[in-house]
Structures are given as C-alpha cells and as structure tokens.
Amino acid sequence: MSRQMLLRVTEVEPLTPLVTRFRFEHPERAALPLFSGGAHVVVEMPDDGVLRRNAYSLISDPYDGSGYEIAVRREDTGRGGSRFMHGQVATGTDLRVSLPLNLFALDPRAKKHVLIAGGIGITPFLAQLRQLERLQQPYELHYAARSQAEAAGLKLLPQTAQVHVHISENGDRMDPGALLEGQPIGTHAYVCGPEGLIAAVMDAGARLGWPPSALHAEAFAAPPPGEAFRVTIGSTGAEIEVGPHQSLLEALEAAEVEVDWSCRGGACGRCETGVRACHGRIEHHDHWLSPEERAAQTKIMPCMSRFRGDRLVLDL
Amino acid sequence: MPNTQFSPSIDSRPVYPGLTPHGASPAIMVADAEGAAALRELAARDASVMDRAQVVLAAGGAAGLAEARALQALQPKGVSHEPDLAAALPLLRRLLAEARMGTRLYLAGSEGLIGQVSALALDAGLPADAIESEHRGPIARRMQCVHCKGITEGVTTDPFTCSHCGLTLFVRDHFSRRLGVFQGVCVDAETPGIIPEPQEIRP
Amino acid sequence: MTKHFNDETFRGDYTYYNSPEAIRRFPFPFDRDSYMYSVNIEQHPGGPAGSPFEYAFDVDEHYVAEMKDRAITLAEDPLRCQSLPHMELAGWDLLELIMEAKARDYPDLFGLHKDGDRWHWINRPLRIDQRFTFLDATTLPYGPMEYITRQAQGDFALLHEREGNLWMDAGMVTSQADWSLDFDVGMNFFEWHAPVPKAKKMGVFDKALKFLLAVQQGQAYRRLNWTMTVNPRLDTSPENYHKWGPEKRTITPQNVGRKQFLRVELQSFWRLPRSNAIVFPIRCYLACLDDLASQPKWGRRLHRVLRDLDPVLVEYKGFAVNRDIIVAHLARYDDGAPTSPGIFPD
C-alpha cells in the first residue's frame, strides 16, 4: 500500500457535462511530493460504509508541489467511485490520497515523443506536456474526441503548434497510421484512451515495423464488473463473497484480509496473490501476469480479475 | 556455414539468434566478407527484404569484390562497398541519422562488427528490438583493456597482450553493448609475471 | 553529532583508522553465525540513535578524507563518473534528496536555503558556499549528480526504469568492490549482475528486481553487503587492479589483524520524484579484523562465518588466497560461546 496524505479539495470545476476537474491541497499548505508526467494517485472515498479506492492520473504541473489536480469522468453505470466524486465531493472535502506512482512514464531517451489520446485518456498527457515543455524535448500530441462539447481536454490543453485536436463529429477522424508513419529514429509513441484506440495504435505500429519497446500504452483501467463469486482464504478457510460491482481486492479489504496493493488497475504487480486450488476459471483482466502464468491458473491479481466456477482457494 | 553456436554464458554476453526477414520494411544491412553469405541466405528466404535495403559491405580484397557483386545481384536499393568497418562508419552514421521508425538493422559477421554497429545504432536512437544479428566467421573478440581502455581487435587467445599498455589480460564474457566490447582484466595483477599458458578461445 | 573529521589516507601510507566510537557503530553485516545470499531488506532510514542507519545519508569521521580520496581518483580517471544524456534530471533529483537530508539531519554542518529555483548550499566541513539555479546545470561547476556526489560518501548508481527492467544509466563510482562503471553503464539489472556466481540460479535477482521496481516515493529501503579488502583502500576498481592486486599477497599471520579489512556496503534504494528513476547509494565502511574483534560477539561470529563460507563465495569475494590466515587469526577470538541474534554488539 502506498503512503497516504490527507488532502483538502480546494477547487471543483466542471469541464464538460460529464468531466469535472478537482484540485487537492495540503490543509496546512505544505508542499506535496513532486512527480513525473504520467503518474497517478489513488483517491480513497468513504462512500456510505464502502471504502472505494480509484486511481486517477495527475493532470497538474509535475514540478508544482502546491497542489494535485485530477479530471474525473462520471460513469453512471460504473462501480460508484466517479459518482461519489461528482455527487459528494465539494470544495472543503478532505480525502486520503496516495503518493504519486508512475506506470506510464515518458522515455527520456526519445529523440521525439508522439502522444496519442482518446477522450478522457488525455489526462496523463496533460502533466507530461508540462514536463516536455520544461525539459524542451520535441513532441507532438494528438487528441481525439467525439464532439466539441464532450472534449474535456480542450479547456486544459495549451494552444501550440504541437497540439492537434481531432473531433470526429466535425469529420476529423484520427488516423493512427498517419501519425506513426515517417517519424525519425528514436521516436517513442504513447497512447491512452479506449481499448479500440490502443489496439489501433498498436496495430499501426506493428504494421509499420515499430519495435514494441517504442510503443507505450497506459495499461491500467477500472476493475470490470461481472457476476458475483466466492473465494476461500487458504489460511483460515473463511469464505468471502465478491459482489457484481466489487473487485476481489475490495471484497478482501472489506473482510479485513491484508493484501498489498498499489495501482489497483492490474499494472503494478503489488497485489499478486497465489492460488492454492482452482476449480473453475480465473478471468484475468490484468496486464501483469504473463500468458503462461494466466494459463497455469496459479496466480491472480485481485484488483482486476474475477473467477467463475466452484471453488477458488487463495494463498492468503 | 550457419550461424555460430556459442556455449551458454552469463546474461551480459550477447547472443546472436540469426537473421529473420521482416519483409519489405526499410532496412540497413551491414556485413563483412563472411557475413555477406547470411544476407544472401536471408534474401533467398524472402526476396522482398532487399526492396528497401541499403547494404553496407565492409570487406576488402578479392573476396570483398566477389561478395559485392553477389549482393548487387539481389537488387537491393543500394550497395556500398567499403574496405573495412572503420571506413564504413561515417556512412553508417549518416544512414542511421536519416532513418525513420520502422527501419530494421540486419548485422552479419564478426562479433566486433555486430557489437560496434549495434552500439552506433543504439546511440542514434534505434530501439534494440529493431536489430537482427547473425554471427559468421572467426570467433575472434573485440576486447577492451579495463586498465588503459584501449581496444584490441581480433583476439583469439586467452590470455592475450593488450596492444596498447602491454598488460596480459584474461578474456571475460562480460560485454558492454554501449561500447561493443568484451572486458579484458590483468591476469597477473596479484602475482606479477605468473601467466597461464594462452589457450585458443572457444565458441 | 560528528564534529571531528579524521586526517587519514586510503592509499599510499594508509593512515585510515576507526575511533572507538566508530568501531562500536560499525555496520556489522552478519546477524547470525553463517552467511548465504539473501535479500535481507529493511526500511531506511531508521535505527538506533548514533548508528549508521539513523539518517538517510550517514556523515561520519571519515567524511572529509573520503571526499579527498574521491577527488584524487576522479582527477586520475574522470570516467569513474558517468551520466548518459537522459539522466540529468535524475541527477537533480539526487542533488535535492542529498542536500535536503544533510541540511535536515546535520544542521550544524550543512545548510540549504531555497528561494524558488534560486538555491544556496553551504557545506561547512568541505568549506563550500554555492549559489545556483535549480535545473540549470550551467550554474554549477559540475553536472548535478557529480556536484553532489563529490560531497557525499559512498558510490551512487542512478537506475532508469523502462521495459520492466532497471538500467544503470548514470553513476559516481570510486570505492567499488571490483566492478567498472565505465564498462557497466547502460546495462540492465541482469547484465550488470551477470558476473555474480550462484545468485542467478537461486532466483535472487528476479526477486530483487521485482522488489526494486515496486519501490515508491516516500518509502526507502536498505540492505547490507560485504566483502574483504587488504588495506583500507576505497579504490578497489578493476581499472587499478594491477596496482592494488599485489597488496592482496602481503598478508602474513603477523599483520593480518591490522591489514585485513572487512568491507561493508550499506546499500539503499530510493525512488526519485521528477525522473521516476531509482537511486542506489552504496556506502562503504571499512574495519580491520582486530578492531572488529574488540566487540567479543563480532570476533566469535566473524570467525564462524568465514570458516564455514561456501568456497565459491570465498573465490568471488576475492580472499581465497588469505582465507586460512584470516580464519586462523580469528580463531583466537572464538571461545565457542553462543552469540546473541542480530548485528549490534552486546
């Protein structure tokens, strides 16, 4: 678990009907730890007896410790974290926030950076832009959104020659192949957004002969909902029920079973848990375990993955 | 003569898996006289690898001329024939500086050639996973003396004499990708003058 | 608080010495009577008051002399300090980490005053008073990493994280246990550890890398490592092996107690904020066998550890040729009595 700070919400600004910007500051105005572009924090939300923890990319200047800012899109069918932020958080609310952690860092060796964002996937790039400006490294950013009204990034992006906005409603669809083609040796490309966009960029890269090490995707996502299931704690024999909109990690925490964690999005590997017995199928949704490890069904990432079957005994 | 099979070693020792064709992507190919055969075999497996390939042959003498003609016959985008690797380096620097993402680098020949051109390419920003390599020819090593930093080419015995400072060095498998050299360390540092009988280096 | 700094040398006449207080606070690395590789990691800083674990960057009686020795080594071989171009930001992170820690932990020795990016650094033991602009390398006499590590004891490796691995892309290494930064810079975690025997088979490096990648801001860790060195020499580099190697053969039963040193590395691991890099400080402590044996528990234990050590490790740690003399000498301090658990003296 990351170290936490108790921070106060000092600004709440709706950017679009669905996306709101929040600013956090230390209650005594103390400086917050700096970070690198692409880092996220985990915000803890005490929601009517349920402790929710969601990861959000930091969008503010990484070199400005006076506050942290995030942009949250309301997901009405989601698990409730974004609804909590939109419905119950106001200026003056105190929330526990983890120290920043970066699983989507820029590669500073790059001769050029190509940043590709779709929708709310613009968030990690907002901090990276400030870092690139400060370090004076060459970049271009491409931001795709469905409509002008939904494009929360428009209010947050600088108007510079390196920033390109593609609004599909206006007939301007982003073409990942065209963005990657002809880039000089040493270019790195980064993509964050819907799965379809990530897949399109990866496919275009592969088709153009880009080596995997030069293509980066923001891997973490919210835990997917699913059918309820039960797991057994190996050491105590206790049975734990996991609800349809709950992650296994959240269910373990609610039952006070200690599990280490950090990103809560299947990317960092901290909550990796051994499986003693598996009668059924683990539905792996993480980006941490290798294909071999997934197939073996002897490990599970409780922050993201679910189970379908008769019995799953965890090595806890 | 196929890709040399080296015995298993430590993690820093480079491995040369052999060349795999990546179709008609833009390519820079570098070979010495022995490595040229690997390029010909590569083209035999997939002729399209030559469509956008700039070939640099670093090989002097009659063998070099014959290989240059053979490579030309495969109709790559271009063949540059240089007497040795040192002469080819300025051209390679230029080709790498102008290259675009998606370019493959195919290297075939001695460990010295593969190590040196890889180091140049990585420095230019080419990702390591865009480099293909195949070892051909003698197993002589390019050794750096850890004491004087001088590089001795074509080392075939262990220990050997540093061509710069004259110390007797033993041959380690520890390899620096950045420098493209193996490490040589004084063999008689603790017992000056007591030097083991030199042995031929084995693959 | 350290007020006195030894006037001593780490080469030539080797006048290095440990005061009685320095001996008692020595970071003895063995917590039991035997040794095998282990990951043995603890949170850092944190430890008994006065111990070398109390503060982030321990400053002891050897500080001034060690910095002089580093300057000599760098003057002869500037490549002991290297930073690949993309590591400058990590260098600034490190400079900030060290300056803040020293000014906080040793306020009578060091001072740091910040006015935005205009910084003022005072290092009283080394008589340095420097005003500079943070993130502007042209305002310092060296790059940021070199500048601050010329004023901090121990070696430093700056590790860049990418592709699920750590790459040693910068460092200041003048007191190493026989590895070359100039050669290893740019290598990943498995490559630069490749020459270490046995550990790969034991899976030590896979576990250690996984651990390091998970190190986050605000949570630092440490471990102890050790080897043996003849004479109190900091620069046991491969570069100068042909110069210090012959000294290894000068051990006799008469001089071993004062001439054979246990060399302990206090290694720590920190995540840096702006660069997301990891810094790996490797602080070297030296004590001769007889000084260590002045603590009866350590005399007994050191004898048992070295007597029973795996021959492969004896070879790797480079004291096979002197092992018999060392063990025979230490036997006199071992009466067979049991030892208490843990590393601290009784």
Side-chain angles (χ1 to χ4, degrees):
Chain A
M1 196 192 315
S2 300
R3 269 183 44 196
Q4 290 182 322
M5 304 167 285
L6 187 68
L7 301 183
R8 183 160 298 162
V9 175
T10 57
E11 288 173 30
V12 178
E13 179 198 11
L15 298 171
T16 71
L18 284 181
V19 180
T20 300
R21 178 181 67 90
F22 298 87
R23 180 178 172 83
F24 295 90
E25 291 179 19
H26 192 277
E28 273 93 52
R29 298 280 165 144
L32 305 181
L34 303 182
F35 58 97
S36 49
H40 68 266
V41 291
V42 174
V43 179
E44 207 169 272
M45 299 170 253
D47 185 8
D48 197 19
V50 181
L51 195 59
R52 303 185 189 285
R53 292 191 176 104
N54 279 15
Y56 295 107
S57 296
L58 292 168
I59 64 170
S60 47
D61 184 350
Y63 298 174
D64 177 3
S66 67
Y68 289 161
E69 296 183 17
I70 61 174
V72 180
R73 183 186 152 94
R74 196 177 79 224
E75 308 285 353
D76 289 324
T77 58
R79 300 164 335 103
S82 67
R83 278 201 305 278
F84 177 89
M85 290 300 293
H86 279 255
Q88 300 190 42
V89 174
T91 302
T93 306
D94 285 348
L95 290 172
R96 292 201 169 276
V97 176
S98 74
L99 261 69
L101 170 70
N102 200 341
L103 300 170
F104 189 52
L106 294 167
D107 191 326
R109 298 169 308 153
K111 311 276 180 201
K112 179 181 178 184
H113 306 266
V114 176
L115 315 177
I116 303 171
I120 194 67
I122 188 66
T123 51
F125 297 129
L126 293 168
Q128 289 180 340
L129 282 190
R130 310 234 195 183
Q131 186 179 333
L132 291 167
E133 287 286 347
R134 176 107 193 211
L135 301 177
Q136 299 183 339
Q137 293 191 2
Y139 72 90
E140 56 188 72
L141 178 135
H142 296 269
Y143 170 47
R146 217 166 307 154
S147 69
Q148 203 85 20
E150 286 176 46
L154 292 180
K155 282 194 180 156
L156 301 169
L157 283 167
Q159 294 198 339
T160 63
Q162 293 97 323
V163 172
H164 308 267
V165 179
H166 308 263
I167 304 288
S168 52
E169 184 187 69
N170 300 349
D172 181 1
R173 289 190 66 86
M174 187 160 74
D175 173 3
L179 305 186
L180 297 183
E181 185 142 31
Q183 294 289 356
I185 281 290
T187 303
H188 281 250
Y190 310 80
V191 55
C192 183
E195 273 182 38
L197 176 68
I198 294 177
V201 170
M202 292 296 158
D203 288 350
R207 180 169 51 78
L208 293 166
W210 280 55
S213 68
L215 292 167
H216 310 262
E218 173 64 298
F220 78 87
E227 285 175 29
F229 61 96
R230 296 175 81 81
V231 297
T232 306
I233 305 303
S235 59
T236 61
E239 299 247 317
I240 291 174
E241 177 85 25
V242 184
H245 286 280
Q246 200 179 22
S247 72
L248 171 54
L249 177 60
E250 288 164 343
L252 292 170
E253 288 172 337
E256 294 181 351
V257 178
E258 201 161 310
V259 184
D260 194 15
W261 57 267
S262 176
C263 77
R264 304 181 81 87
C268 77
R270 283 291 271 270
C271 67
E272 182 182 298
T273 300
V275 168
R276 289 194 193 168
C278 173
H279 303 285
R281 272 219 76 66
I282 298 172
E283 299 172 336
H284 295 287
H285 297 293
D286 61 277
H287 301 267
W288 174 256
L289 297 177
S290 66
E292 297 76 33
E293 287 172 316
R294 285 160 186 251
Q297 304 226 77
T298 53
K299 287 176 183 170
I300 186 169
M301 308 305 291
C303 66
M304 288 294 282
S305 300
R306 307 186 71 85
F307 174 68
R308 194 188 287 269
D310 296 335
R311 189 170 153 79
L312 183 73
V313 184
L314 299 178
D315 195 10
L316 286 172
Chain B
M1 191 175 68
N3 190 14
T4 310
Q5 296 296 311
F6 290 95
S7 32
S9 181
I10 60 177
D11 279 350
S12 54
R13 198 226 188 289
V15 289
Y16 311 106
L19 303 183
T20 309
H22 289 270
S25 14
I28 301 169
M29 299 182 177
V30 189
D32 55 23
E34 279 86 4
L39 296 185
R40 286 190 273 108
E41 287 162 29
L42 180 74
R45 284 159 68 193
D46 178 357
S48 74
V49 292
M50 289 295 169
D51 292 358
R52 297 164 77 190
Q54 189 71 41
V55 180
V56 178
L57 176 68
L65 274 174
E67 282 296 354
R69 273 195 293 273
L71 289 169
Q72 198 78 59
L74 301 170
Q75 296 184 306
K77 201 173 103 192
V79 176
S80 311
H81 184 197
E82 307 284 346
D84 55 31
L85 187 59
L89 290 180
L91 168 65
L92 284 170
R93 277 195 194 94
R94 166 81 175 268
L95 290 175
L96 287 164
E98 290 173 353
R100 302 279 129 177
M101 286 302 282
T103 302
R104 293 274 156 185
L105 180 63
Y106 296 92
L107 305 176
S110 69
E111 290 207 83
L113 177 138
I114 297 172
Q116 239 176 309
V117 182
S118 294
L120 203 65
L122 293 172
D123 196 42
L126 191 77
D129 38 354
I131 303 176
E132 298 271 333
S133 61
E134 179 158 335
H135 184 269
R136 293 288 178 115
I139 54 166
R141 292 191 184 187
R142 188 165 183 255
M143 299 293 307
Q144 186 192 47
C145 171
V146 74
H147 312 291
C148 78
K149 311 286 178 180
I151 291 172
T152 304
E153 302 275 357
V155 171
T156 57
T157 63
D158 176 20
F160 70 101
T161 304
C162 174
S163 60
H164 303 270
C165 69
L167 285 175
T168 308
L169 309 177
F170 70 91
V171 173
R172 294 187 79 190
D173 275 356
H174 202 35
F175 183 86
S176 163
R177 214 183 301 103
R178 183 181 70 93
L179 302 168
V181 292
F182 288 94
Q183 192 175 59
V185 180
C186 184
V187 73
D188 59 339
E190 295 180 28
T191 51
I194 303 179
I195 291 167
E197 194 60 33
Q199 309 277 322
E200 284 291 311
I201 291 175
R202 282 176 306 192
Chain C
M1 193 65 54
T2 307
K3 294 278 196 272
H4 169 80
F5 297 105
N6 296 354
D7 182 10
E8 60 190 3
T9 58
F10 297 87
R11 59 184 78 212
D13 54 0
Y14 291 115
T15 59
Y16 172 88
Y17 67 97
N18 282 303
S19 67
E21 306 89 81
I23 295 170
R24 265 199 76 81
R25 75 191 293 278
F26 189 81
F28 189 72
F30 306 110
D31 64 351
R32 65 197 71 188
D33 289 356
S34 62
Y35 174 79
M36 193 52 206
Y37 291 132
S38 68
V39 181
N40 66 336
I41 284 171
E42 299 179 285
Q43 294 220 6
H44 185 73
S51 76
F53 314 116
E54 184 180 10
Y55 297 126
F57 298 96
D58 183 38
V59 175
D60 66 8
E61 65 188 26
H62 308 297
Y63 176 57
V64 173
E66 278 188 38
M67 294 300 95
K68 268 188 201 153
D69 192 71
R70 164 159 291 164
I72 297 170
T73 301
L74 285 170
E76 288 172 358
D77 183 1
L79 295 180
R80 302 295 186 88
C81 179
Q82 301 243 5
S83 178
L84 299 184
H86 61 276
M87 294 304 280
E88 186 174 300
L89 186 61
W92 285 110
D93 275 333
L94 177 63
L95 174 140
E96 176 184 57
L97 177 71
I98 294 176
M99 285 186 178
E100 287 190 340
K102 288 197 164 175
R104 179 186 63 233
D105 298 334
Y106 302 94
D108 54 341
L109 301 180
F110 304 95
L112 177 65
H113 308 282
K114 295 181 182 177
D115 172 15
D117 282 345
R118 277 197 291 270
W119 290 26
H120 180 196
W121 166 246
I122 297 159
N123 178 336
R124 292 186 189 91
L126 297 181
R127 298 199 175 90
I128 291 169
D129 187 304
Q130 178 83 40
R131 290 170 198 275
F132 63 99
T133 306
F134 191 72
L135 294 183
D136 180 354
T138 64
T139 61
L140 284 176
Y142 307 99
M145 179 192 70
E146 178 166 356
Y147 179 76
I148 196 58
T149 56
R150 279 175 176 267
Q151 302 176 47
Q153 289 165 277
D155 288 344
F156 292 83
L158 280 172
L159 315 180
H160 180 232
E161 177 175 344
R162 62 177 186 268
E163 296 161 30
N165 210 325
L166 291 170
W167 303 75
M168 186 160 43
D169 286 345
M172 166 68 91
V173 178
T174 63
S175 52
Q176 71 271 48
D178 205 8
W179 61 280
S180 166
L181 174 74
D182 180 43
F183 196 80
D184 287 1
V185 70
M187 289 189 187
N188 71 34
F189 191 77
F190 297 113
E191 291 168 344
W192 90 71
H193 282 116
V196 182
K198 282 206 165 187
K200 184 185 175 179
K201 254 199 187 130
M202 295 168 55
V204 169
F205 296 133
D206 295 300
K207 280 186 215 143
L209 175 62
K210 240 179 179 173
F211 178 85
L212 285 174
L213 289 172
V215 170
Q216 294 175 27
Q217 275 198 68
Q219 304 174 311
Y221 299 89
R222 67 164 175 261
R223 70 183 284 262
L224 294 175
N225 196 12
W226 67 278
T227 186
M228 304 288 281
T229 303
V230 174
N231 289 328
R233 186 176 179 93
L234 288 175
D235 175 25
T236 51
S237 60
E239 276 84 354
N240 283 335
Y241 180 40
H242 56 307
K243 295 176 189 160
W244 57 265
E247 295 178 10
K248 276 176 71 175
R249 306 296 175 122
T250 59
I251 291 289
T252 65
Q254 291 69 41
N255 69 17
V256 63
R258 309 298 311 166
K259 207 174 170 66
Q260 178 67 58
F261 285 73
L262 176 66
R263 182 187 194 99
V264 175
E265 292 178 353
L266 170 54
Q267 308 176 341
S268 56
F269 319 97
W270 311 70
R271 177 72 70 171
L272 297 173
R274 298 169 189 79
S275 59
N276 199 40
I278 285 181
V279 63
F280 177 36
I282 310 160
R283 171 68 188 278
C284 171
Y285 294 85
L286 292 162
C288 68
L289 300 183
D290 286 351
D291 279 353
L292 289 168
S294 68
Q295 310 299 317
K297 169 180 170 180
W298 292 351
R300 294 184 185 108
R301 179 166 292 169
L302 191 58
H303 172 245
R304 295 167 199 177
V305 167
L306 297 184
R307 181 191 62 199
D308 303 336
L309 191 68
D310 185 325
V312 176
L313 292 186
V314 175
E315 189 62 44
Y316 173 63
K317 290 184 183 284
F319 64 100
V321 27
N322 295 321
R323 177 182 176 159
D324 291 346
I325 299 178
I326 293 167
V327 172
H329 181 78
L330 288 172
R332 78 189 58 181
Y333 299 117
D334 187 358
D335 55 9
T339 55
S340 61
I343 62 173
F344 295 104
D346 290 326

